[in-house]
Coordinates of all heavy atoms in Angstrom, one line a residue:
V78 N 10.5 50.8 8.4 CA 10.1 49.7 9.2 C 11.2 49.6 10.3 O 12.4 49.6 10.0 CB 10.1 48.3 8.5 CG1 9.9 47.2 9.4 CG2 9.1 48.4 7.4
K79 N 10.7 49.6 11.6 CA 11.7 49.6 12.8 C 11.4 48.3 13.5 O 10.3 47.9 13.6 CB 11.5 50.8 13.7 CG 11.8 52.1 13.1 CD 11.6 53.2 14.2 CE 12.2 54.4 13.6 NZ 12.3 55.5 14.6
N80 N 12.5 47.6 14.0 CA 12.4 46.5 14.9 C 12.5 47.1 16.3 O 13.3 47.8 16.7 CB 13.6 45.6 14.7 CG 13.5 44.8 13.4 OD1 12.4 44.4 13.0 ND2 14.5 44.7 12.7
V81 N 11.3 46.7 17.0 CA 11.2 47.3 18.4 C 11.2 46.2 19.4 O 10.5 45.1 19.2 CB 9.9 48.1 18.5 CG1 9.7 48.6 20.0 CG2 9.8 49.3 17.5
A82 N 12.0 46.2 20.4 CA 12.0 45.2 21.5 C 11.1 45.8 22.7 O 11.3 46.9 23.1 CB 13.4 45.0 22.0
L83 N 10.0 45.1 23.0 CA 9.1 45.5 24.0 C 9.3 44.7 25.2 O 9.1 43.4 25.2 CB 7.7 45.4 23.4 CG 6.6 45.9 24.3 CD1 6.7 47.5 24.5 CD2 5.2 45.6 23.7
K84 N 9.6 45.3 26.3 CA 9.8 44.6 27.6 C 8.4 44.2 28.2 O 7.4 44.9 28.0 CB 10.6 45.5 28.6 CG 12.0 45.8 28.0 CD 12.8 46.7 29.0 CE 14.1 47.0 28.5 NZ 14.9 47.9 29.3
P85 N 8.4 43.2 29.1 CA 7.3 42.9 29.9 C 6.8 44.0 30.7 O 7.6 44.7 31.2 CB 7.7 41.7 30.7 CG 8.8 41.1 29.9 CD 9.6 42.2 29.3
G86 N 5.5 44.2 30.7 CA 4.9 45.3 31.5 C 4.7 46.6 30.7 O 4.1 47.5 31.1
K87 N 5.4 46.7 29.5 CA 5.2 47.8 28.7 C 4.2 47.6 27.6 O 3.8 46.4 27.3 CB 6.6 48.2 28.0 CG 7.7 48.5 28.9 CD 7.4 49.8 29.5 CE 8.6 50.3 30.5 NZ 8.3 51.5 31.1
I88 N 3.6 48.7 27.1 CA 2.6 48.6 26.0 C 3.1 49.4 24.8 O 3.5 50.5 25.0 CB 1.2 49.2 26.5 CG1 0.7 48.4 27.7 CG2 0.1 49.0 25.4 CD1 -0.4 48.9 28.4
L89 N 3.0 48.9 23.7 CA 3.4 49.5 22.4 C 2.0 50.0 21.8 O 1.2 49.2 21.4 CB 4.0 48.5 21.5 CG 4.6 49.0 20.2 CD1 5.6 50.0 20.4 CD2 5.2 47.8 19.4
I90 N 1.9 51.3 21.9 CA 0.6 52.0 21.4 C 0.8 52.5 20.0 O 1.9 53.3 19.8 CB 0.2 53.1 22.3 CG1 0.0 52.6 23.8 CG2 -1.1 53.8 21.8 CD1 -1.1 51.7 23.9
A91 N 0.0 52.2 19.1 CA 0.2 52.6 17.6 C -0.6 53.9 17.4 O -1.6 54.2 18.0 CB -0.4 51.5 16.7
D92 N 0.0 54.7 16.5 CA -0.7 55.8 15.9 C -1.6 55.3 14.9 O -1.6 54.1 14.4 CB 0.3 56.8 15.2 CG 1.2 57.5 16.2 OD1 0.9 57.5 17.4 OD2 2.1 58.1 15.7
A93 N -2.7 56.1 14.4 CA -3.6 55.7 13.5 C -2.9 55.3 12.2 O -2.0 56.0 11.7 CB -4.6 56.7 13.1
G94 N -3.3 54.1 11.7 CA -2.7 53.6 10.4 C -1.3 52.9 10.5 O -0.8 52.4 9.5
T95 N -0.9 52.7 11.7 CA 0.4 51.9 11.9 C 0.2 50.5 11.7 O -0.9 49.9 11.9 CB 0.9 52.2 13.3 OG1 1.2 53.7 13.5 CG2 2.2 51.5 13.6
E96 N 1.3 49.8 11.3 CA 1.2 48.4 11.1 C 2.3 47.7 12.0 O 3.4 48.2 12.1 CB 1.4 48.0 9.6 CG 0.3 48.5 8.7 CD 0.6 48.4 7.2 OE1 1.9 48.2 6.9 OE2 -0.3 48.4 6.4
F97 N 1.9 46.5 12.5 CA 2.8 45.7 13.4 C 2.9 44.3 12.8 O 1.9 43.8 12.3 CB 2.3 45.6 14.8 CG 2.4 46.7 15.7 CD1 1.8 46.7 16.9 CD2 2.9 47.9 15.3 CE1 1.8 47.8 17.8 CE2 2.9 49.1 16.1 CZ 2.3 49.0 17.4
I98 N 4.1 43.7 13.0 CA 4.2 42.3 12.8 C 5.0 41.8 14.0 O 6.1 42.2 14.2 CB 5.0 41.9 11.5 CG1 4.3 42.4 10.2 CG2 5.2 40.4 11.4 CD1 5.0 42.2 8.9
V99 N 4.4 40.8 14.8 CA 5.1 40.3 15.9 C 6.0 39.2 15.4 O 5.6 38.2 14.7 CB 4.1 39.7 16.9 CG1 4.8 39.0 18.1 CG2 3.1 40.7 17.4
R100 N 7.4 39.4 15.7 CA 8.3 38.4 15.1 C 8.7 37.3 16.2 O 8.9 36.2 15.8 CB 9.6 39.2 14.7 CG 9.3 40.1 13.6 CD 9.0 39.3 12.3 NE 10.2 38.6 11.9 CZ 10.2 37.5 11.2 NH1 9.1 36.9 10.8 NH2 11.3 36.9 10.9
S101 N 8.8 37.7 17.5 CA 9.1 36.7 18.5 C 8.4 37.1 19.8 O 8.3 38.3 20.0 CB 10.6 36.5 18.6 OG 11.2 37.7 19.2
G102 N 8.2 36.1 20.6 CA 7.5 36.4 21.9 C 6.0 36.2 21.7 O 5.5 35.9 20.6
N103 N 5.3 36.3 22.8 CA 3.8 36.2 22.9 C 3.2 37.5 23.2 O 3.4 38.1 24.3 CB 3.5 35.1 23.9 CG 3.9 33.7 23.5 OD1 3.9 33.3 22.4 ND2 4.5 33.0 24.5
A104 N 2.4 37.9 22.3 CA 1.8 39.2 22.4 C 0.3 39.1 22.5 O -0.3 38.2 22.0 CB 2.2 40.2 21.2
V105 N -0.4 40.1 23.2 CA -1.8 40.2 23.2 C -2.2 41.6 22.9 O -1.4 42.5 23.0 CB -2.4 39.9 24.6 CG1 -2.2 38.5 25.0 CG2 -1.8 40.8 25.7
I106 N -3.4 41.7 22.3 CA -3.9 43.0 21.8 C -4.3 43.8 23.0 O -4.9 43.4 24.1 CB -5.1 42.8 20.9 CG1 -4.8 41.9 19.7 CG2 -5.8 44.1 20.5 CD1 -3.7 42.5 18.8
Y107 N -4.1 45.1 23.0 CA -4.4 46.1 23.9 C -5.3 47.2 23.3 O -4.9 47.8 22.3 CB -3.2 46.8 24.6 CG -3.5 48.0 25.4 CD1 -3.9 47.8 26.7 CD2 -3.5 49.2 24.9 CE1 -4.2 48.9 27.5 CE2 -3.7 50.4 25.7 CZ -4.1 50.1 27.0 OH -4.4 51.2 27.8
T108 N -6.5 47.3 23.8 CA -7.4 48.4 23.4 C -8.2 48.9 24.6 O -8.4 48.1 25.5 CB -8.4 47.9 22.3 OG1 -9.3 47.0 22.8 CG2 -7.7 47.5 21.0
E109 N -8.6 50.2 24.5 CA -9.4 50.7 25.6 C -10.8 50.8 25.1 O -11.7 51.2 26.0 CB -8.9 52.1 25.9 CG -7.5 52.1 26.6 CD -6.9 53.4 26.9 OE1 -7.5 54.5 26.4 OE2 -5.9 53.6 27.6
V110 N -11.1 50.4 24.0 CA -12.5 50.4 23.4 C -12.9 49.0 23.0 O -12.1 48.1 23.0 CB -12.5 51.4 22.2 CG1 -12.3 52.8 22.6 CG2 -11.6 51.0 21.2
S111 N -14.2 48.9 22.7 CA -14.7 47.5 22.3 C -14.2 47.0 21.0 O -14.1 45.8 20.8 CB -16.2 47.5 22.4 OG -16.8 48.4 21.5
S112 N -14.0 47.9 20.1 CA -13.5 47.5 18.8 C -12.0 47.1 18.8 O -11.3 47.5 19.8 CB -13.7 48.6 17.7 OG -13.1 49.8 18.0
G113 N -11.6 46.4 17.8 CA -10.2 45.8 18.0 C -9.3 46.3 16.9 O -9.3 47.4 16.4
V114 N -8.4 45.3 16.6 CA -7.3 45.5 15.7 C -7.5 44.6 14.4 O -7.9 43.4 14.7 CB -5.9 45.2 16.4 CG1 -4.8 45.3 15.4 CG2 -5.7 46.2 17.5
A115 N -7.2 45.1 13.3 CA -7.4 44.3 12.0 C -6.2 43.4 11.9 O -5.1 43.8 11.8 CB -7.6 45.1 10.9
D116 N -6.4 42.0 11.8 CA -5.4 41.0 11.4 C -5.6 40.9 9.9 O -6.5 40.2 9.5 CB -5.6 39.7 12.2 CG -4.6 38.7 11.8 OD1 -3.8 38.9 10.8 OD2 -4.6 37.6 12.4
L117 N -4.8 41.6 9.1 CA -4.9 41.6 7.7 C -4.5 40.2 7.0 O -5.0 39.9 6.0 CB -4.0 42.7 7.1 CG -4.4 44.1 7.5 CD1 -3.5 45.1 6.9 CD2 -5.8 44.4 7.2
T118 N -3.7 39.4 7.8 CA -3.3 38.2 7.3 C -4.5 37.1 7.2 O -4.6 36.4 6.3 CB -2.1 37.5 8.1 OG1 -1.1 38.5 8.0 CG2 -1.6 36.3 7.5
D119 N -5.2 37.1 8.4 CA -6.4 36.2 8.4 C -7.6 36.8 8.1 O -8.7 36.2 7.9 CB -6.5 35.7 9.9 CG -5.6 34.4 10.1 OD1 -5.1 33.9 9.2 OD2 -5.4 34.1 11.3
G120 N -7.7 38.2 8.0 CA -8.9 38.9 7.6 C -9.9 38.9 8.7 O -11.1 38.7 8.4
K121 N -9.5 39.1 10.0 CA -10.5 39.2 11.1 C -10.0 40.3 12.1 O -8.9 40.7 12.0 CB -10.6 37.8 11.8 CG -9.3 37.3 12.3 CD -9.5 36.0 13.0 CE -8.2 35.4 13.6 NZ -8.4 34.1 14.2
D122 N -10.9 40.5 12.9 CA -10.6 41.6 14.0 C -10.1 40.8 15.3 O -10.7 39.7 15.7 CB -11.9 42.3 14.4 CG -12.1 43.5 13.4 OD1 -11.1 43.9 12.7 OD2 -13.3 43.9 13.3
L123 N -9.1 41.4 16.0 CA -8.6 40.8 17.2 C -9.0 41.9 18.3 O -8.7 43.0 18.2 CB -7.1 40.6 17.2 CG -6.6 39.7 16.1 CD1 -5.1 39.8 16.1 CD2 -7.0 38.4 16.3
L124 N -9.7 41.3 19.3 CA -10.2 42.2 20.4 C -9.2 42.3 21.6 O -8.3 41.5 21.6 CB -11.5 41.7 20.8 CG -12.6 41.7 19.8 CD1 -13.9 41.1 20.3 CD2 -12.9 43.0 19.2
N125 N -9.5 43.1 22.5 CA -8.6 43.3 23.7 C -8.4 42.0 24.4 O -9.3 41.2 24.6 CB -9.3 44.4 24.7 CG -8.3 44.7 25.8 OD1 -7.1 44.9 25.6 ND2 -8.9 44.8 27.0
G126 N -7.1 41.7 24.7 CA -6.8 40.5 25.4 C -6.5 39.2 24.5 O -6.0 38.2 25.0
Q127 N -6.9 39.3 23.3 CA -6.6 38.2 22.4 C -5.2 38.1 21.9 O -4.5 39.1 21.9 CB -7.5 38.3 21.1 CG -9.0 37.8 21.3 CD -9.8 37.8 19.9 OE1 -9.8 38.8 19.3 NE2 -10.2 36.7 19.6
A128 N -4.8 36.9 21.7 CA -3.4 36.7 21.2 C -3.2 37.2 19.9 O -4.0 37.2 19.0 CB -3.1 35.2 21.2
A129 N -2.0 38.0 19.7 CA -1.5 38.5 18.4 C -0.7 37.5 17.8 O 0.4 37.2 18.3 CB -0.9 39.8 18.6
P130 N -1.1 36.9 16.7 CA -0.3 35.8 16.1 C 1.0 36.3 15.5 O 1.1 37.5 15.0 CB -1.2 35.3 14.9 CG -2.5 36.0 15.1 CD -2.3 37.2 15.9
K131 N 2.0 35.5 15.6 CA 3.3 35.8 15.0 C 3.3 35.8 13.5 O 2.5 35.0 12.9 CB 4.4 34.8 15.5 CG 4.7 34.9 16.9 CD 5.8 33.8 17.3 CE 5.9 33.7 18.8 NZ 6.4 32.5 19.2
N132 N 4.1 36.7 12.9 CA 4.2 36.8 11.5 C 2.9 37.2 10.7 O 2.8 36.9 9.6 CB 4.8 35.6 10.9 CG 6.2 35.4 11.4 OD1 7.0 36.2 11.6 ND2 6.5 34.1 11.8
H133 N 1.9 37.8 11.4 CA 0.7 38.3 10.8 C 0.8 39.8 10.8 O 1.3 40.5 11.7 CB -0.5 37.9 11.6 CG -1.0 36.5 11.5 ND1 -2.3 36.1 11.3 CD2 -0.2 35.4 11.4 CE1 -2.3 34.8 11.2 NE2 -1.1 34.4 11.2

Side-chain angles (χ1 to χ4, degrees):
V78 176
K79 291 188 176 189
N80 288 319
V81 178
L83 186 63
K84 296 178 181 179
K87 299 289 184 181
I88 302 172
L89 185 62
I90 304 292
D92 291 348
T95 298
E96 298 173 336
F97 289 174
I98 298 175
V99 178
R100 295 293 293 152
S101 69
N103 295 316
V105 293
I106 302 298
Y107 169 82
T108 64
E109 295 177 347
V110 294
S111 61
S112 56
V114 173
D116 180 348
L117 301 178
T118 304
D119 276 346
K121 62 182 181 179
D122 280 338
L123 301 175
L124 302 176
N125 188 42
Q127 282 187 299
K131 291 180 190 155
N132 300 316
H133 281 221

